[in-house]
Amino acid sequence: RVAEALGLVETGRALETRFRTEWEAARREVAGYPSRPRVLFLLAHSGAPLVAGRNTAADAMLALAGAANAGAGLEGYKPLTAEAALAADPEVLLATTEGLRALGGTDRLWSHPALRLTPAGRARRVVDMDGLYLLGFGPRLPQAVRELARRLREAGG
């Protein structure tokens, strides 16, 4: 509809076709992965870190990438507590690059006592991606899903 309003119908159709092709390729690739790593997403752009539970953009992205949301016992974004981190038992931590920077980097991340005691913390498995790319759900969604799925598995999840 936007392309039509701008008088760029053919360009819009080409973009839609490319997106659908890339989306199907991403879905096939993710479906081929044998495991569903348990991943805890931390949102930490300012203040205390939050954990992503059900019905969040991070929850949706993890599902698309074939991962299990270790925070699925929660609804929405909730403050990170020691109890929640230990109960989540994540194999991998996921954060935005900006959030990881705001936390003070990976060394500072692993200084959190509860995170350090999780399987992800013991193995120091963390993946970070640009926030808009990871959670923007725009035209780069197929690439973001494929990259997230690949990086989670490379991290050992």
Side-chain angles (χ1 to χ4, degrees), residues 24-101:
E24 286 307 314
R27 290 181 58 165
R28 281 191 307 275
E29 182 177 324
V30 170
Y33 287 122
S35 65
R36 287 183 49 84
R38 288 183 52 77
V39 180
L40 186 64
F41 178 81
L42 300 176
L43 181 66
H45 290 219
S46 63
L50 303 175
V51 174
R54 293 182 314 279
N55 298 316
T56 62
D59 182 53
M61 192 61 170
L62 288 170
L64 291 173
N69 183 358
L74 305 170
E75 180 76 25
Y77 289 94
K78 301 291 186 232
L80 172 66
T81 64
E83 295 83 8
L86 292 171
D89 200 36
E91 298 170 279
V92 180
L93 296 182
L94 174 63
T96 64
T97 303
E98 303 84 355
L100 189 57
R101 192 176 312 122

Side-chain angles (χ1 to χ4, degrees), residues 5-20:
L6 294 173
L8 300 169
V9 175
E10 290 306 314
T11 302
R13 284 191 186 124
L15 178 62
E16 180 182 6
T17 299
R18 188 183 85 219
F19 180 87
R20 289 181 188 278

Side-chain angles (χ1 to χ4, degrees), residues 125-141:
R125 290 188 295 248
V126 63
V127 170
D128 67 286
M129 291 175 64
D130 175 81
L132 187 55
Y133 181 55
L134 178 64
L135 302 173
F137 290 86
R140 299 182 298 168
L141 178 63

